[in-house]
Amino acid sequence: MKHIIGGKPGEPRSPQAAPVAVRLVEVHPDDAGQRLDNFLMRHLKGVPKTHIYRIIRQGEVRINKGRTSADARVQPGDVVRIPPVRVSSKPEESERAVPAREFPLLLDDDVMLAINKPAGVAVHGGSGVSFGVIEQLRRAHPDARFLELVHRLDRETSGILLVAKKRSALTHLQNQFRERETGKTYLALVLGAWPANKKVIDTPLRKYLLPDGERRVRATTADDPEGMRSVSLVKVQQLFPAQHPLGLPALSLLEVTIKTGRTHQIRVHLASSGHAIAGDEKYGDFDLNKRLAKQGLKRMFLHAWRLQFNHPQTAERVELGAELPPELADFVAAASAAE
């Protein structure tokens, strides 16, 4: 690939260096099916998204010499015209600030990897977060042509996270998630004694925004036109009695298998059933969370525990497991000892 940043050898780079040439980039098979805007973001690192969309609208970006749109899908062998753009040095400095990081591996082969994500780490950079798991993995593996998240986990949720190394694997796995062909089971510790006969939660969920623009989800009714059908299966794994001297209620360790993948589905389903997840700062009992923190639970007790899917290359059924991290396992052990 040609370097298009201006400046003669030995000259100091100005804060905004001007490129001097158009680039013609042939689409690699691994990038097949990728949206044009995402394709450009990978090739124009440091360029604001608004500028990328502008040069597409103005016809400066072309596929096979023809004008195109941001949502066009590139195909192997396509030639993408990328015009000269100004790239600020600041984004490059920001990119260098992303620390390389490896995560505990559950699976690693030619087309994908599965990691055991710790709590407190976002899966990607975004609102209020400069980087996440995927940016750190790319930094740790600079020679990797392709690394993309297959799905997402909330920042405070730990457990199994899949990353694709090839576009074909990404598409294959995401189709399985979309068609509900995967098996996803979480461990959640909830407040109160969960009734053993309550095994299915089939309650629609609806997204909404708080006045400050933060996203939230609430349970709604089947006749709500903006409600999305959401189904969770619940199995009680262990019950813990109340610890009245500590001001703690009974607790239930649940296995929750989700049949749909809505935003905050497990958190809202359990909270709307009267059994919020312990440590949940959005949908939980805030006063009780403080008492739980004093007993060692300083995070939300939600962990992506088991995941089943068909391998995108071999089609074999794969089952992955990630045991509870120490901070959750220790709390469960302490609660068991108090019985």
Side-chain angles (χ1 to χ4, degrees):
M1 186 174 296
K2 297 178 181 178
H3 295 286
I4 63 169
I5 303 300
K8 296 179 181 179
E11 287 185 344
R13 288 182 63 178
S14 60
Q16 285 204 333
V20 296
V22 168
R23 281 188 292 168
L24 299 177
V25 179
E26 184 173 341
V27 177
H28 189 275
D30 285 350
D31 293 326
Q34 189 172 27
R35 281 176 55 116
L36 177 62
D37 50 359
N38 292 330
F39 178 84
L40 291 173
M41 287 172 195
R42 292 182 65 85
H43 287 275
L44 294 174
K45 292 181 179 179
V47 177
K49 292 181 181 180
T50 53
H51 186 70
I52 288 176
Y53 288 118
R54 185 182 306 120
I55 60 177
I56 295 174
R57 287 196 306 270
Q58 293 174 345
E60 295 183 61
V61 176
R62 302 203 170 204
I63 299 179
N64 301 328
K65 300 183 179 180
R67 293 177 70 108
T68 185
S69 60
D71 61 356
R73 303 281 177 171
V74 298
Q75 301 301 328
D78 282 349
V79 176
V80 180
R81 178 192 188 273
I82 301 179
V85 293
R86 291 184 177 274
V87 181
S88 170
S89 62
K90 291 182 179 179
E92 293 177 2
E93 292 169 1
S94 174
E95 183 177 331
R96 285 196 295 271
V98 175
R101 181 174 179 180
E102 299 286 5
F103 297 88
L105 284 172
L106 302 172
L107 182 153
D108 186 9
D109 60 28
D110 292 341
V111 299
M112 64 176 294
L113 58 85
I115 67 168
N116 189 356
K117 185 187 88 68
V121 182
V123 295
H124 59 75
S127 178
V129 180
S130 57
F131 59 85
V133 169
I134 193 63
E135 289 86 3
Q136 290 183 293
L137 282 175
R138 288 170 182 160
R139 187 70 175 161
H141 301 274
D143 296 331
R145 281 193 52 84
F146 187 92
L147 285 176
E148 293 288 349
L149 293 167
V150 173
H151 60 117
R152 287 160 173 73
L153 293 176
D154 289 345
R155 184 175 183 177
E156 293 307 320
T157 301
S158 55
I160 304 169
L161 181 68
L162 301 185
V163 176
K165 294 182 179 180
K166 291 183 178 292
R167 170 71 49 185
S168 57
L170 177 68
T171 302
H172 193 287
L173 289 166
Q174 288 184 333
N175 285 341
Q176 289 185 60
F177 277 88
R178 189 177 303 111
E179 299 300 323
R180 305 176 188 175
E181 296 172 352
T182 59
K184 295 182 286 183
T185 301
Y186 293 69
L187 290 180
L189 186 73
V190 301
L191 311 181
W194 186 271
N197 62 351
K198 188 173 180 59
K199 299 180 179 180
V200 180
I201 305 175
D202 188 351
T203 303
L205 299 177
R206 177 178 182 171
K207 294 181 183 179
Y208 68 100
L209 295 177
L210 295 177
D212 63 1
E214 188 175 355
R215 180 183 60 180
R216 283 287 193 277
V217 178
R218 65 168 176 259
T220 186
T221 57
D223 58 358
D224 184 342
E226 295 189 33
M228 301 289 288
R229 189 183 181 197
S230 308
V231 181
S232 301
L233 308 182
V234 182
K235 176 184 176 182
V236 177
Q237 187 179 100
Q238 193 171 356
L239 293 174
F240 306 99
Q243 299 183 57
H244 298 297
L246 300 176
L248 299 182
L251 300 170
S252 303
L253 183 61
L254 307 178
E255 298 176 16
V256 185
T257 300
I258 55 175
K259 308 307 279 187
T260 51
R262 311 301 180 199
T263 301
H264 297 170
Q265 176 174 322
I266 296 176
R267 301 166 69 175
V268 178
H269 266 174
L270 298 179
S272 66
S273 299
H275 300 271
I277 295 178
D280 190 340
E281 296 182 353
K282 286 188 176 181
Y283 305 102
D285 184 320
F286 308 126
D287 290 335
L288 187 54
N289 286 345
K290 293 178 182 178
R291 295 198 291 276
L292 288 166
K294 291 180 181 179
Q295 302 307 313
L297 184 63
K298 302 182 185 301
R299 54 158 287 201
M300 179 174 66
F301 200 122
L302 183 61
H303 178 70
W305 180 49
R306 295 282 186 264
L307 179 62
Q308 296 179 344
F309 57 92
N310 297 325
H311 193 277
Q313 190 173 51
T314 66
E316 293 180 1
R317 194 66 172 173
V318 177
E319 179 171 352
L320 300 176
E323 295 308 313
L324 285 174
E327 70 272 14
L328 300 186
D330 290 348
F331 186 81
V332 168
S336 298
E339 290 187 57

